[in-house]
Amino acid sequence: MGNPKQKWTAEEEEALRAGVAKHGTGKWKNIQKDPEFNHFLYSRSNIDLKDKWRNMSVSANGQGPREKSRTPKPKAITDSPATAAPLAITWTPGSSAAAVVDPASTDVQMDDSSKCLLDGKTASKYNTMIYEALSTLKDPNGSDTSAIVSFIEKRHEVPQNFRRLLSSRLRRLVAQEKLEKVQNCYRLKRESVNGTKGPISKPKEIRPRISQVNSYLGGTLEEAAVAAAYQVAEAENKSFVAAEAVKEAERVSKMAEEAEAFLQLAKEIYERCSRGEVVMVA
DNA sequence: CTTAGGG
DNA sequence: CCCTAAG
């Protein structure tokens, strides 16, 4: 849950620079796959590397306009790592502008401003769709890409090339150990505090919330009806998930009861022993 | 599926 | 980060 925004760490940037130095510009997939860098870049895709390198380059150019001789993307393979892109930047979704961060400060901080509420929900719309599909399909062996695609297509508007996007997303989620891949099937994996700095995964509270039928404001009545149908389906899905959670809670509380009963038994045995009685335990 | 570039 | 167009 710590990666709706996924800020780049200093380690990742270093690995990217070293990777470019080793493989050259444009070999993003190789860099990502390289075992030497994969340790830092496993949660990034080749496309992410490309975007990041572009951002670092513009940042470097923007800072020192007077010195343009230092080309940040050398085609030639350089022996020495860390040739360019000295500054760290933060990527902003809405605009092409990038905020420059003080290079002196180690950006190993976390936003304690705690966007806890937005945290999980702000995740790429596609990730939540995937979780929705997997938690509903509940296939013990996992669901393959086709099953997931067809499920999502029933409730959300998706682009034409959605299948391709979906598979990339799935692969990345597997890499982040958020999902489990069996053969060609993907299964929902238990929430674990993975390598990325995620504080403590708070149990997501399940509250069926009636959201507005937006995105269809300017549409026809029919479109609104379709949207409403989607939301009904989604609500049903959520109540199903909620039911599962209740079952789990009941199971836990039953365990607690048994534990307490056992504790009572132990007490009694202790009492009788201290009175000198001989206690036989069957 | 991978890159490149625009949004 | 998402999307689209090409190899």
PDB file of all heavy atoms in Angstrom, chain A residues 89-128:
ATOM      1  N   ILE A  89      14.149  14.522  -9.000  1.00  0.00           N
ATOM      2  CA  ILE A  89      12.923  15.251  -9.281  1.00  0.00           C
ATOM      3  C   ILE A  89      11.724  14.427  -8.878  1.00  0.00           C
ATOM      4  O   ILE A  89      11.806  13.224  -8.751  1.00  0.00           O
ATOM      5  CB  ILE A  89      12.807  15.597 -10.769  1.00  0.00           C
ATOM      6  CG1 ILE A  89      12.782  14.292 -11.594  1.00  0.00           C
ATOM      7  CG2 ILE A  89      13.925  16.490 -11.193  1.00  0.00           C
ATOM      8  CD1 ILE A  89      11.765  14.305 -12.665  1.00  0.00           C
ATOM      9  N   THR A  90      10.643  15.097  -8.678  1.00  0.00           N
ATOM     10  CA  THR A  90       9.422  14.365  -8.395  1.00  0.00           C
ATOM     11  C   THR A  90       8.495  14.514  -9.580  1.00  0.00           C
ATOM     12  O   THR A  90       8.291  15.600 -10.089  1.00  0.00           O
ATOM     13  CB  THR A  90       8.720  14.905  -7.150  1.00  0.00           C
ATOM     14  OG1 THR A  90       8.327  16.247  -7.424  1.00  0.00           O
ATOM     15  CG2 THR A  90       9.637  14.864  -5.970  1.00  0.00           C
ATOM     16  N   TRP A  91       7.958  13.397  -9.968  1.00  0.00           N
ATOM     17  CA  TRP A  91       7.109  13.403 -11.143  1.00  0.00           C
ATOM     18  C   TRP A  91       5.713  13.828 -10.757  1.00  0.00           C
ATOM     19  O   TRP A  91       5.135  13.339  -9.810  1.00  0.00           O
ATOM     20  CB  TRP A  91       7.106  12.013 -11.736  1.00  0.00           C
ATOM     21  CG  TRP A  91       6.259  11.926 -12.946  1.00  0.00           C
ATOM     22  CD1 TRP A  91       6.597  12.237 -14.214  1.00  0.00           C
ATOM     23  CD2 TRP A  91       4.915  11.486 -12.972  1.00  0.00           C
ATOM     24  NE1 TRP A  91       5.546  12.027 -15.030  1.00  0.00           N
ATOM     25  CE2 TRP A  91       4.496  11.566 -14.311  1.00  0.00           C
ATOM     26  CE3 TRP A  91       4.011  11.041 -12.012  1.00  0.00           C
ATOM     27  CZ2 TRP A  91       3.216  11.216 -14.691  1.00  0.00           C
ATOM     28  CZ3 TRP A  91       2.742  10.705 -12.404  1.00  0.00           C
ATOM     29  CH2 TRP A  91       2.364  10.789 -13.735  1.00  0.00           C
ATOM     30  N   THR A  92       5.165  14.771 -11.524  1.00  0.00           N
ATOM     31  CA  THR A  92       3.810  15.221 -11.238  1.00  0.00           C
ATOM     32  C   THR A  92       2.886  14.834 -12.367  1.00  0.00           C
ATOM     33  O   THR A  92       3.147  15.145 -13.510  1.00  0.00           O
ATOM     34  CB  THR A  92       3.778  16.743 -11.069  1.00  0.00           C
ATOM     35  OG1 THR A  92       4.427  17.340 -12.189  1.00  0.00           O
ATOM     36  CG2 THR A  92       4.476  17.161  -9.810  1.00  0.00           C
ATOM     37  N   PRO A  93       1.816  14.163 -12.001  1.00  0.00           N
ATOM     38  CA  PRO A  93       0.928  13.598 -13.008  1.00  0.00           C
ATOM     39  C   PRO A  93       0.231  14.633 -13.875  1.00  0.00           C
ATOM     40  O   PRO A  93       0.077  14.452 -15.066  1.00  0.00           O
ATOM     41  CB  PRO A  93      -0.104  12.820 -12.200  1.00  0.00           C
ATOM     42  CG  PRO A  93       0.214  13.047 -10.775  1.00  0.00           C
ATOM     43  CD  PRO A  93       1.387  13.926 -10.659  1.00  0.00           C
ATOM     44  N   GLY A  94      -0.206  15.683 -13.288  1.00  0.00           N
ATOM     45  CA  GLY A  94      -1.040  16.610 -14.032  1.00  0.00           C
ATOM     46  C   GLY A  94      -0.281  17.445 -15.031  1.00  0.00           C
ATOM     47  O   GLY A  94      -0.811  17.836 -16.056  1.00  0.00           O
ATOM     48  N   SER A  95       0.957  17.717 -14.763  1.00  0.00           N
ATOM     49  CA  SER A  95       1.677  18.603 -15.650  1.00  0.00           C
ATOM     50  C   SER A  95       2.999  17.998 -16.053  1.00  0.00           C
ATOM     51  O   SER A  95       3.458  17.021 -15.493  1.00  0.00           O
ATOM     52  CB  SER A  95       1.942  19.933 -14.939  1.00  0.00           C
ATOM     53  OG  SER A  95       2.844  19.729 -13.879  1.00  0.00           O
ATOM     54  N   SER A  96       3.602  18.588 -17.039  1.00  0.00           N
ATOM     55  CA  SER A  96       4.895  18.084 -17.473  1.00  0.00           C
ATOM     56  C   SER A  96       6.014  18.686 -16.645  1.00  0.00           C
ATOM     57  O   SER A  96       7.162  18.328 -16.782  1.00  0.00           O
ATOM     58  CB  SER A  96       5.106  18.415 -18.944  1.00  0.00           C
ATOM     59  OG  SER A  96       5.006  19.812 -19.119  1.00  0.00           O
ATOM     60  N   ALA A  97       5.657  19.641 -15.814  1.00  0.00           N
ATOM     61  CA  ALA A  97       6.665  20.278 -14.996  1.00  0.00           C
ATOM     62  C   ALA A  97       7.120  19.353 -13.885  1.00  0.00           C
ATOM     63  O   ALA A  97       6.374  18.524 -13.402  1.00  0.00           O
ATOM     64  CB  ALA A  97       6.097  21.564 -14.389  1.00  0.00           C
ATOM     65  N   ALA A  98       8.356  19.498 -13.508  1.00  0.00           N
ATOM     66  CA  ALA A  98       8.885  18.660 -12.445  1.00  0.00           C
ATOM     67  C   ALA A  98       9.437  19.532 -11.337  1.00  0.00           C
ATOM     68  O   ALA A  98      10.090  20.531 -11.581  1.00  0.00           O
ATOM     69  CB  ALA A  98       9.991  17.760 -12.989  1.00  0.00           C
ATOM     70  N   ALA A  99       9.146  19.152 -10.133  1.00  0.00           N
ATOM     71  CA  ALA A  99       9.644  19.907  -9.001  1.00  0.00           C
ATOM     72  C   ALA A  99      11.058  19.464  -8.664  1.00  0.00           C
ATOM     73  O   ALA A  99      11.344  18.278  -8.595  1.00  0.00           O
ATOM     74  CB  ALA A  99       8.733  19.698  -7.802  1.00  0.00           C
ATOM     75  N   VAL A 100      11.907  20.414  -8.463  1.00  0.00           N
ATOM     76  CA  VAL A 100      13.287  20.081  -8.171  1.00  0.00           C
ATOM     77  C   VAL A 100      13.480  19.930  -6.661  1.00  0.00           C
ATOM     78  O   VAL A 100      13.024  20.748  -5.881  1.00  0.00           O
ATOM     79  CB  VAL A 100      14.226  21.183  -8.691  1.00  0.00           C
ATOM     80  CG1 VAL A 100      15.662  20.844  -8.350  1.00  0.00           C
ATOM     81  CG2 VAL A 100      14.043  21.329 -10.187  1.00  0.00           C
ATOM     82  N   VAL A 101      14.162  18.880  -6.319  1.00  0.00           N
ATOM     83  CA  VAL A 101      14.401  18.620  -4.910  1.00  0.00           C
ATOM     84  C   VAL A 101      15.839  18.955  -4.576  1.00  0.00           C
ATOM     85  O   VAL A 101      16.742  18.727  -5.376  1.00  0.00           O
ATOM     86  CB  VAL A 101      14.116  17.132  -4.597  1.00  0.00           C
ATOM     87  CG1 VAL A 101      14.501  16.810  -3.161  1.00  0.00           C
ATOM     88  CG2 VAL A 101      12.659  16.828  -4.854  1.00  0.00           C
ATOM     89  N   ASP A 102      16.035  19.495  -3.442  1.00  0.00           N
ATOM     90  CA  ASP A 102      17.377  19.822  -2.996  1.00  0.00           C
ATOM     91  C   ASP A 102      18.243  18.568  -3.019  1.00  0.00           C
ATOM     92  O   ASP A 102      17.954  17.603  -2.336  1.00  0.00           O
ATOM     93  CB  ASP A 102      17.307  20.389  -1.571  1.00  0.00           C
ATOM     94  CG  ASP A 102      18.686  20.844  -1.116  1.00  0.00           C
ATOM     95  OD1 ASP A 102      19.652  20.712  -1.897  1.00  0.00           O
ATOM     96  OD2 ASP A 102      18.783  21.306   0.013  1.00  0.00           O
ATOM     97  N   PRO A 103      19.314  18.583  -3.797  1.00  0.00           N
ATOM     98  CA  PRO A 103      20.148  17.400  -3.919  1.00  0.00           C
ATOM     99  C   PRO A 103      20.860  17.047  -2.616  1.00  0.00           C
ATOM    100  O   PRO A 103      21.229  15.911  -2.410  1.00  0.00           O
ATOM    101  CB  PRO A 103      21.164  17.797  -4.995  1.00  0.00           C
ATOM    102  CG  PRO A 103      21.127  19.282  -5.039  1.00  0.00           C
ATOM    103  CD  PRO A 103      19.759  19.690  -4.627  1.00  0.00           C
ATOM    104  N   ALA A 104      21.048  18.038  -1.771  1.00  0.00           N
ATOM    105  CA  ALA A 104      21.779  17.770  -0.537  1.00  0.00           C
ATOM    106  C   ALA A 104      20.960  16.891   0.402  1.00  0.00           C
ATOM    107  O   ALA A 104      21.510  16.057   1.116  1.00  0.00           O
ATOM    108  CB  ALA A 104      22.114  19.094   0.167  1.00  0.00           C
ATOM    109  N   SER A 105      19.684  17.069   0.391  1.00  0.00           N
ATOM    110  CA  SER A 105      18.867  16.308   1.311  1.00  0.00           C
ATOM    111  C   SER A 105      18.632  14.911   0.775  1.00  0.00           C
ATOM    112  O   SER A 105      18.273  14.727  -0.378  1.00  0.00           O
ATOM    113  CB  SER A 105      17.524  17.007   1.515  1.00  0.00           C
ATOM    114  OG  SER A 105      16.769  16.918   0.344  1.00  0.00           O
ATOM    115  N   THR A 106      18.873  13.946   1.614  1.00  0.00           N
ATOM    116  CA  THR A 106      18.592  12.581   1.207  1.00  0.00           C
ATOM    117  C   THR A 106      17.092  12.379   1.189  1.00  0.00           C
ATOM    118  O   THR A 106      16.423  12.602   2.200  1.00  0.00           O
ATOM    119  CB  THR A 106      19.225  11.594   2.194  1.00  0.00           C
ATOM    120  OG1 THR A 106      19.014  12.082   3.507  1.00  0.00           O
ATOM    121  CG2 THR A 106      20.694  11.438   1.942  1.00  0.00           C
ATOM    122  N   ASP A 107      16.626  11.980   0.061  1.00  0.00           N
ATOM    123  CA  ASP A 107      15.171  11.868  -0.052  1.00  0.00           C
ATOM    124  C   ASP A 107      14.704  10.481   0.398  1.00  0.00           C
ATOM    125  O   ASP A 107      14.080   9.761  -0.329  1.00  0.00           O
ATOM    126  CB  ASP A 107      14.732  12.142  -1.478  1.00  0.00           C
ATOM    127  CG  ASP A 107      15.440  11.206  -2.437  1.00  0.00           C
ATOM    128  OD1 ASP A 107      16.533  10.697  -2.081  1.00  0.00           O
ATOM    129  OD2 ASP A 107      14.914  10.961  -3.496  1.00  0.00           O
ATOM    130  N   VAL A 108      15.062  10.153   1.601  1.00  0.00           N
ATOM    131  CA  VAL A 108      14.640   8.857   2.117  1.00  0.00           C
ATOM    132  C   VAL A 108      13.508   9.052   3.099  1.00  0.00           C
ATOM    133  O   VAL A 108      13.280   8.254   3.980  1.00  0.00           O
ATOM    134  CB  VAL A 108      15.823   8.155   2.822  1.00  0.00           C
ATOM    135  CG1 VAL A 108      15.516   6.670   3.000  1.00  0.00           C
ATOM    136  CG2 VAL A 108      17.083   8.348   2.025  1.00  0.00           C
ATOM    137  N   GLN A 109      12.844  10.161   2.939  1.00  0.00           N
ATOM    138  CA  GLN A 109      11.790  10.466   3.903  1.00  0.00           C
ATOM    139  C   GLN A 109      10.454   9.955   3.413  1.00  0.00           C
ATOM    140  O   GLN A 109      10.276   9.650   2.253  1.00  0.00           O
ATOM    141  CB  GLN A 109      11.710  11.963   4.135  1.00  0.00           C
ATOM    142  CG  GLN A 109      10.868  12.722   3.124  1.00  0.00           C
ATOM    143  CD  GLN A 109      11.221  12.437   1.684  1.00  0.00           C
ATOM    144  OE1 GLN A 109      10.989  11.375   1.175  1.00  0.00           O
ATOM    145  NE2 GLN A 109      11.784  13.422   1.048  1.00  0.00           N
ATOM    146  N   MET A 110       9.546   9.854   4.337  1.00  0.00           N
ATOM    147  CA  MET A 110       8.207   9.483   3.931  1.00  0.00           C
ATOM    148  C   MET A 110       7.244  10.587   4.356  1.00  0.00           C
ATOM    149  O   MET A 110       7.472  11.265   5.340  1.00  0.00           O
ATOM    150  CB  MET A 110       7.772   8.187   4.587  1.00  0.00           C
ATOM    151  CG  MET A 110       8.639   7.024   4.175  1.00  0.00           C
ATOM    152  SD  MET A 110       7.870   5.497   4.569  1.00  0.00           S
ATOM    153  CE  MET A 110       7.387   5.763   6.225  1.00  0.00           C
ATOM    154  N   ASP A 111       6.222  10.704   3.585  1.00  0.00           N
ATOM    155  CA  ASP A 111       5.260  11.740   3.908  1.00  0.00           C
ATOM    156  C   ASP A 111       4.474  11.347   5.154  1.00  0.00           C
ATOM    157  O   ASP A 111       3.568  10.560   5.100  1.00  0.00           O
ATOM    158  CB  ASP A 111       4.298  11.951   2.752  1.00  0.00           C
ATOM    159  CG  ASP A 111       5.028  12.529   1.552  1.00  0.00           C
ATOM    160  OD1 ASP A 111       6.070  13.179   1.759  1.00  0.00           O
ATOM    161  OD2 ASP A 111       4.568  12.309   0.446  1.00  0.00           O
ATOM    162  N   ASP A 112       4.875  11.903   6.270  1.00  0.00           N
ATOM    163  CA  ASP A 112       4.138  11.594   7.489  1.00  0.00           C
ATOM    164  C   ASP A 112       2.819  12.354   7.505  1.00  0.00           C
ATOM    165  O   ASP A 112       2.033  12.237   8.423  1.00  0.00           O
ATOM    166  CB  ASP A 112       4.975  11.948   8.728  1.00  0.00           C
ATOM    167  CG  ASP A 112       5.492  13.364   8.642  1.00  0.00           C
ATOM    168  OD1 ASP A 112       5.566  13.896   7.531  1.00  0.00           O
ATOM    169  OD2 ASP A 112       5.818  13.925   9.685  1.00  0.00           O
ATOM    170  N   SER A 113       2.645  13.167   6.493  1.00  0.00           N
ATOM    171  CA  SER A 113       1.358  13.850   6.393  1.00  0.00           C
ATOM    172  C   SER A 113       0.236  12.828   6.251  1.00  0.00           C
ATOM    173  O   SER A 113      -0.920  13.166   6.388  1.00  0.00           O
ATOM    174  CB  SER A 113       1.359  14.804   5.215  1.00  0.00           C
ATOM    175  OG  SER A 113       1.816  14.130   4.063  1.00  0.00           O
ATOM    176  N   SER A 114       0.662  11.609   5.989  1.00  0.00           N
ATOM    177  CA  SER A 114      -0.287  10.498   6.022  1.00  0.00           C
ATOM    178  C   SER A 114      -1.521  10.704   5.185  1.00  0.00           C
ATOM    179  O   SER A 114      -2.548  11.148   5.637  1.00  0.00           O
ATOM    180  CB  SER A 114      -0.711  10.226   7.466  1.00  0.00           C
ATOM    181  OG  SER A 114       0.307   9.573   8.126  1.00  0.00           O
ATOM    182  N   LYS A 115      -1.356  10.375   3.953  1.00  0.00           N
ATOM    183  CA  LYS A 115      -2.519  10.357   3.096  1.00  0.00           C
ATOM    184  C   LYS A 115      -3.159   8.998   3.201  1.00  0.00           C
ATOM    185  O   LYS A 115      -3.493   8.376   2.216  1.00  0.00           O
ATOM    186  CB  LYS A 115      -2.082  10.607   1.678  1.00  0.00           C
ATOM    187  CG  LYS A 115      -0.829   9.783   1.395  1.00  0.00           C
ATOM    188  CD  LYS A 115       0.183  10.500   0.618  1.00  0.00           C
ATOM    189  CE  LYS A 115       1.462   9.684   0.661  1.00  0.00           C
ATOM    190  NZ  LYS A 115       2.154   9.748  -0.561  1.00  0.00           N
ATOM    191  N   CYS A 116      -3.265   8.528   4.426  1.00  0.00           N
ATOM    192  CA  CYS A 116      -3.751   7.179   4.661  1.00  0.00           C
ATOM    193  C   CYS A 116      -5.078   6.938   3.963  1.00  0.00           C
ATOM    194  O   CYS A 116      -5.332   5.883   3.414  1.00  0.00           O
ATOM    195  CB  CYS A 116      -3.911   6.918   6.151  1.00  0.00           C
ATOM    196  SG  CYS A 116      -2.352   6.951   7.034  1.00  0.00           S
ATOM    197  N   LEU A 117      -5.920   7.942   4.018  1.00  0.00           N
ATOM    198  CA  LEU A 117      -7.234   7.746   3.456  1.00  0.00           C
ATOM    199  C   LEU A 117      -7.157   7.541   1.953  1.00  0.00           C
ATOM    200  O   LEU A 117      -7.832   6.682   1.407  1.00  0.00           O
ATOM    201  CB  LEU A 117      -8.119   8.960   3.775  1.00  0.00           C
ATOM    202  CG  LEU A 117      -8.551   9.034   5.228  1.00  0.00           C
ATOM    203  CD1 LEU A 117      -9.363  10.281   5.475  1.00  0.00           C
ATOM    204  CD2 LEU A 117      -9.353   7.791   5.598  1.00  0.00           C
ATOM    205  N   LEU A 118      -6.327   8.312   1.303  1.00  0.00           N
ATOM    206  CA  LEU A 118      -6.264   8.189  -0.130  1.00  0.00           C
ATOM    207  C   LEU A 118      -5.379   7.038  -0.540  1.00  0.00           C
ATOM    208  O   LEU A 118      -5.428   6.591  -1.662  1.00  0.00           O
ATOM    209  CB  LEU A 118      -5.695   9.484  -0.729  1.00  0.00           C
ATOM    210  CG  LEU A 118      -6.366  10.772  -0.308  1.00  0.00           C
ATOM    211  CD1 LEU A 118      -5.547  11.487   0.731  1.00  0.00           C
ATOM    212  CD2 LEU A 118      -6.579  11.654  -1.514  1.00  0.00           C
ATOM    213  N   ASP A 119      -4.590   6.572   0.375  1.00  0.00           N
ATOM    214  CA  ASP A 119      -3.521   5.648   0.056  1.00  0.00           C
ATOM    215  C   ASP A 119      -3.907   4.550  -0.919  1.00  0.00           C
ATOM    216  O   ASP A 119      -3.514   4.572  -2.062  1.00  0.00           O
ATOM    217  CB  ASP A 119      -2.995   5.020   1.340  1.00  0.00           C
ATOM    218  CG  ASP A 119      -1.491   5.135   1.391  1.00  0.00           C
ATOM    219  OD1 ASP A 119      -0.944   5.937   0.618  1.00  0.00           O
ATOM    220  OD2 ASP A 119      -0.889   4.423   2.174  1.00  0.00           O
ATOM    221  N   GLY A 120      -4.654   3.596  -0.429  1.00  0.00           N
ATOM    222  CA  GLY A 120      -4.928   2.443  -1.259  1.00  0.00           C
ATOM    223  C   GLY A 120      -5.845   2.756  -2.414  1.00  0.00           C
ATOM    224  O   GLY A 120      -5.768   2.156  -3.461  1.00  0.00           O
ATOM    225  N   LYS A 121      -6.708   3.727  -2.188  1.00  0.00           N
ATOM    226  CA  LYS A 121      -7.724   3.988  -3.191  1.00  0.00           C
ATOM    227  C   LYS A 121      -7.189   4.796  -4.349  1.00  0.00           C
ATOM    228  O   LYS A 121      -7.736   4.769  -5.428  1.00  0.00           O
ATOM    229  CB  LYS A 121      -8.904   4.732  -2.541  1.00  0.00           C
ATOM    230  CG  LYS A 121      -9.301   4.196  -1.194  1.00  0.00           C
ATOM    231  CD  LYS A 121      -9.546   2.678  -1.239  1.00  0.00           C
ATOM    232  CE  LYS A 121      -9.846   2.153   0.152  1.00  0.00           C
ATOM    233  NZ  LYS A 121      -9.832   0.690   0.189  1.00  0.00           N
ATOM    234  N   THR A 122      -6.118   5.509  -4.101  1.00  0.00           N
ATOM    235  CA  THR A 122      -5.564   6.331  -5.160  1.00  0.00           C
ATOM    236  C   THR A 122      -4.750   5.509  -6.140  1.00  0.00           C
ATOM    237  O   THR A 122      -4.390   5.992  -7.190  1.00  0.00           O
ATOM    238  CB  THR A 122      -4.682   7.428  -4.567  1.00  0.00           C
ATOM    239  OG1 THR A 122      -5.361   7.995  -3.467  1.00  0.00           O
ATOM    240  CG2 THR A 122      -4.405   8.512  -5.581  1.00  0.00           C
ATOM    241  N   ALA A 123      -4.492   4.273  -5.776  1.00  0.00           N
ATOM    242  CA  ALA A 123      -3.694   3.425  -6.640  1.00  0.00           C
ATOM    243  C   ALA A 123      -4.290   3.406  -8.034  1.00  0.00           C
ATOM    244  O   ALA A 123      -5.492   3.542  -8.200  1.00  0.00           O
ATOM    245  CB  ALA A 123      -3.651   2.015  -6.074  1.00  0.00           C
ATOM    246  N   SER A 124      -3.450   3.225  -8.981  1.00  0.00           N
ATOM    247  CA  SER A 124      -3.871   3.212 -10.365  1.00  0.00           C
ATOM    248  C   SER A 124      -5.221   2.534 -10.512  1.00  0.00           C
ATOM    249  O   SER A 124      -5.412   1.455  -9.998  1.00  0.00           O
ATOM    250  CB  SER A 124      -2.841   2.452 -11.191  1.00  0.00           C
ATOM    251  OG  SER A 124      -1.571   2.920 -10.900  1.00  0.00           O
ATOM    252  N   LYS A 125      -6.061   3.164 -11.211  1.00  0.00           N
ATOM    253  CA  LYS A 125      -7.411   2.635 -11.319  1.00  0.00           C
ATOM    254  C   LYS A 125      -7.388   1.181 -11.748  1.00  0.00           C
ATOM    255  O   LYS A 125      -8.242   0.396 -11.361  1.00  0.00           O
ATOM    256  CB  LYS A 125      -8.207   3.462 -12.316  1.00  0.00           C
ATOM    257  CG  LYS A 125      -7.434   3.783 -13.574  1.00  0.00           C
ATOM    258  CD  LYS A 125      -8.237   4.663 -14.490  1.00  0.00           C
ATOM    259  CE  LYS A 125      -7.439   5.030 -15.736  1.00  0.00           C
ATOM    260  NZ  LYS A 125      -8.240   5.892 -16.628  1.00  0.00           N
ATOM    261  N   TYR A 126      -6.388   0.810 -12.498  1.00  0.00           N
ATOM    262  CA  TYR A 126      -6.343  -0.554 -13.002  1.00  0.00           C
ATOM    263  C   TYR A 126      -6.001  -1.543 -11.894  1.00  0.00           C
ATOM    264  O   TYR A 126      -6.508  -2.655 -11.877  1.00  0.00           O
ATOM    265  CB  TYR A 126      -5.318  -0.658 -14.124  1.00  0.00           C
ATOM    266  CG  TYR A 126      -5.711   0.160 -15.323  1.00  0.00           C
ATOM    267  CD1 TYR A 126      -4.778   0.854 -16.063  1.00  0.00           C
ATOM    268  CD2 TYR A 126      -7.050   0.243 -15.697  1.00  0.00           C
ATOM    269  CE1 TYR A 126      -5.152   1.596 -17.158  1.00  0.00           C
ATOM    270  CE2 TYR A 126      -7.428   0.987 -16.782  1.00  0.00           C
ATOM    271  CZ  TYR A 126      -6.484   1.663 -17.512  1.00  0.00           C
ATOM    272  OH  TYR A 126      -6.861   2.406 -18.593  1.00  0.00           O
ATOM    273  N   ASN A 127      -5.149  -1.126 -10.988  1.00  0.00           N
ATOM    274  CA  ASN A 127      -4.806  -2.036  -9.901  1.00  0.00           C
ATOM    275  C   ASN A 127      -6.033  -2.401  -9.085  1.00  0.00           C
ATOM    276  O   ASN A 127      -6.231  -3.573  -8.752  1.00  0.00           O
ATOM    277  CB  ASN A 127      -3.766  -1.378  -8.994  1.00  0.00           C
ATOM    278  CG  ASN A 127      -2.392  -1.440  -9.595  1.00  0.00           C
ATOM    279  OD1 ASN A 127      -2.254  -1.608 -10.794  1.00  0.00           O
ATOM    280  ND2 ASN A 127      -1.387  -1.328  -8.767  1.00  0.00           N
ATOM    281  N   THR A 128      -6.833  -1.422  -8.781  1.00  0.00           N
ATOM    282  CA  THR A 128      -8.021  -1.717  -7.986  1.00  0.00           C
ATOM    283  C   THR A 128      -8.976  -2.607  -8.774  1.00  0.00           C
ATOM    284  O   THR A 128      -9.629  -3.472  -8.202  1.00  0.00           O
ATOM    285  CB  THR A 128      -8.734  -0.417  -7.597  1.00  0.00           C
ATOM    286  OG1 THR A 128      -9.123   0.266  -8.783  1.00  0.00           O
ATOM    287  CG2 THR A 128      -7.846   0.463  -6.778  1.00  0.00           C
TER     288      THR A 128
END
